[in-house]
Amino acid sequence: MNEIFDDSTLTEIAHLICGDETSLLYRKGYEIAAFFHRAGWDDVPDYDGTPRHKWALELLKERQADGTDDAERAILRLANRLEYYNQQREYHAMLKRLNEVLVLDGRRIGEDGGQSALVRCEAGFDDQVRQLPRVELKVSVTDVVSDPDLATAVQLRLDEARTCYEHGAYTSAIIMLGSLLEGVLAHAAQARATEVPMPKSLRNMGLNDFVDFAFKNKWIEHDAKLASELVRHYRNLVHPLAEKRTGHSPNQDTLDMCWPVVNATLNDLAATAPPVPVPVPAPAGPGRGYNPNVATQRPTPASVARRRPGGGTSAGT
């Protein structure tokens, strides 16, 4: 299904293609025609001398009225770095303006497999592409998870949650975050010494059990414990029937509330992680009191004598 854009959106897109703002890449009439060719348009007419903006806008409207996806192609070409060889400043200025225009029409530029893509979002005013929520993650996954394989899996879920967030897949992002949270808390329960005994076997514990267990052992603070209930509630929407019962689907606001909870919990777990024992190096050579520097020292008469039978120095030395 082709994307349909409001006329006001197409009007602003035409301005961006022409480069009518000083910070943008300026295109002459024939360069606009070449731009449409590079966007994958068929049968692009030669520029006829009409004012550039009017000419570009009319083409955009005509192609949309014909039912083609050429308007979308033009927008994605605008966001293609290949249009801005050695013009990084112009590219970033254009991308910022493009998203400011698109978000009013419920879209923005995202990525799909490393390529620019149009993704749906909540229509409204926005200064830039969506920002990740407050409460900064101050630690790395490896500060929380000592098992390298598990740390890799947890990092992958964190990356996937970020990708879901950027593409407006809010339910999927929350499910990823809930899975991540349960994984790191389960690892802590298994790997750390505990003051409070585990209430049930590890395999029978759920996210709520792990959160409560971590709090009782003072690995996370009270605010993280209380707020984690929100993540647990929405993580359960992995079951469609649960979503039907609640009558609510997660949106950006939901995710903006859940993500800081995960960040805060990871920060707490890192702050309370037991210190890593520093290994004591083994002696560098055989024998007690071995001095590794001896091998590099020049022999002296006394040292040679100590290696002779009897241990004394010879006469005349």
Side-chain angles (χ1 to χ4, degrees):
M1 181 177 178
N2 297 334
E3 295 278 354
I4 304 300
F5 299 94
D6 187 84
D7 281 356
S8 61
T9 301
L10 293 180
T11 298
E12 294 302 318
I13 296 300
H15 280 302
L16 295 177
I17 292 171
C18 294
D20 289 336
E21 298 178 22
T22 55
S23 59
L24 303 179
L25 177 63
Y26 180 87
R27 294 181 178 90
K28 298 178 181 178
Y30 72 89
E31 292 174 326
I32 296 173
F35 168 85
F36 287 137
H37 276 296
R38 292 193 297 275
W41 286 26
D42 295 325
D43 303 320
V44 179
D46 293 334
Y47 177 62
D48 60 7
T50 303
R52 294 174 309 115
H53 178 263
K54 180 180 179 181
W55 187 75
L57 178 58
E58 288 177 351
L59 284 178
L60 289 168
K61 288 182 176 181
E62 286 173 7
R63 298 296 173 116
Q64 179 162 282
D66 290 342
T68 72
D69 62 354
D70 284 353
E72 180 180 353
R73 289 172 181 265
I75 290 170
L76 293 178
R77 187 66 194 183
L78 268 176
N80 192 322
R81 292 178 176 85
L82 294 176
E83 281 290 312
Y84 306 89
Y85 178 73
N86 206 25
Q87 294 168 310
Q88 186 175 1
R89 182 165 53 186
E90 287 83 353
Y91 167 73
H92 288 297
M94 182 284 311
L95 190 61
K96 182 177 184 296
R97 278 292 294 125
L98 179 59
N99 275 307
E100 289 172 350
V101 170
L102 290 174
V103 74
L104 296 174
D105 209 357
R107 283 91 152 181
R108 62 181 182 80
I109 297 295
E111 284 196 0
D112 183 8
Q115 300 295 320
S116 296
L118 272 175
V119 296
R120 292 280 180 174
C121 66
E122 296 176 20
F125 293 99
D126 204 344
D127 291 336
Q128 291 184 342
V129 184
R130 298 202 184 279
Q131 301 295 316
L132 288 178
R134 297 176 298 278
V135 183
E136 178 186 0
L137 180 61
K138 300 176 182 178
V139 298
S140 66
V141 169
T142 52
D143 293 326
V144 180
V145 180
S146 57
D147 181 330
D149 291 336
L150 181 59
T152 299
V154 169
Q155 183 63 56
L156 180 61
R157 278 166 171 71
L158 189 60
D159 294 341
E160 288 185 1
R162 181 183 293 270
T163 299
C164 291
Y165 185 96
E166 292 174 348
H167 287 75
Y170 304 124
T171 301
S172 297
I174 291 175
I175 291 170
M176 282 291 102
L177 291 177
S179 169
L180 178 159
L181 192 60
E182 184 167 342
V184 297
L185 289 172
H187 172 71
Q190 190 173 29
R192 298 187 182 191
T194 62
E195 297 179 4
V196 178
M198 198 175 294
K200 59 184 78 170
S201 66
L202 192 70
R203 69 173 56 192
N204 290 326
M205 291 177 66
L207 179 54
N208 192 50
D209 297 317
F210 284 122
V211 169
D212 190 55
F213 186 61
F215 173 69
K216 287 180 178 179
N217 281 284
K218 301 178 182 179
W219 300 337
I220 63 174
E221 296 183 2
H222 194 250
D223 55 355
K225 175 185 182 297
L226 292 178
S228 293
E229 174 63 22
L230 181 68
V231 179
R232 185 193 69 82
H233 172 78
Y234 282 105
R235 194 282 307 267
N236 287 341
L237 298 187
V238 66
H239 307 291
L241 287 177
E243 184 171 344
K244 178 183 176 182
R245 286 194 297 270
T246 62
H248 175 252
S249 297
N251 53 29
Q252 186 195 356
D253 290 337
T254 312
L255 186 52
D256 282 348
M257 289 187 288
C258 289
W259 201 303
V261 176
V262 176
N263 286 350
T265 304
L266 292 175
N267 290 339
D268 286 352
L269 287 172
T272 58
V276 178
V278 179
V280 178
R288 295 180 61 184
Y290 174 75
N291 183 354
N293 295 321
V294 167
T296 62
Q297 294 172 352
R298 295 178 62 86
T300 65
S303 65
V304 172
R306 282 195 296 270
R307 292 197 291 271
R308 291 175 181 165
T313 59
S314 59
T317 302

